[in-house]
Amino acid sequence: TEPGVLFTDGEADRGDGLEALAEDGSPSALDSALEGYMGVLDHGVFNTPVGMSESGTAAPGETYEFSFVASPGAYLSFATMSVQTNDLFYAPDGAGIPLFDADLRAVRGDITDQISLWDAGTEVNQAPGEGADQGARQAAPNTGADEGGVVQIVNDGFTYPDTADAIRVTITIDEQ
């Protein structure tokens, strides 16, 4: 119910685990940090593709799925690593996505247009899919050069796919 739970646009990473998620795909520290945040009603980790028995990267055509209960005034906030990058992640803006409209109707359907590719500002970016310090190729977690930047929409001169070509986010309602 509070904005800026995971990050604030234009400010440095808070050191609560967003860096580990964005650079190395490790969500544990960020999930643990949410325990202490005022206004966080529910939190967790989505890391096992639907139909799989172990955590891992969702390949093209695979999905992650999670459930939550929401009431008016609630927002959806999440972050997921962009694997072939140094410290980029997909997420809604720092405020999150309102889950109810002005008429108190639950938001449903495709909300991908509210998701962006963000730069955590924690590691110098290398060409996507080529950098030696990117998750899939690095020698060990957290091995790239420190950027000392701020969280912001990615703007590093490299070319990335449109968000809708990389991720799709849909809210379905279980009418019980």
Side-chain angles (χ1 to χ4, degrees), residues 41-156:
L41 305 177
D42 193 9
H43 63 91
V45 171
F46 59 95
N47 64 355
T48 303
V50 172
M52 302 296 184
S53 59
E54 295 182 15
S55 64
T57 303
E62 293 180 338
T63 61
Y64 295 110
E65 187 175 277
F66 57 90
S67 299
F68 55 89
V69 175
S71 56
Y75 293 80
L76 174 63
S77 296
F78 70 89
T80 186
M81 177 188 195
S82 176
V83 176
Q84 296 293 331
T85 66
N86 292 81
D87 66 343
L88 305 187
F89 62 98
Y90 289 98
D93 70 25
I97 297 170
L99 292 171
F100 291 81
D101 66 17
D103 295 323
L104 302 181
R105 289 184 305 247
V107 170
R108 63 180 74 207
D110 189 337
I111 58 167
T112 305
D113 63 346
Q114 298 181 61
I115 310 303
S116 298
L117 183 60
W118 293 85
D119 185 339
T122 56
E123 186 171 295
V124 175
N125 294 345
Q126 299 166 322
E130 298 177 20
D133 295 321
Q134 294 169 356
R137 287 169 297 287
Q138 66 187 356
N142 199 24
T143 57
D146 185 28
E147 186 173 10
V150 298
V151 179
Q152 62 185 342
I153 297 287
V154 68
N155 183 18
D156 59 11

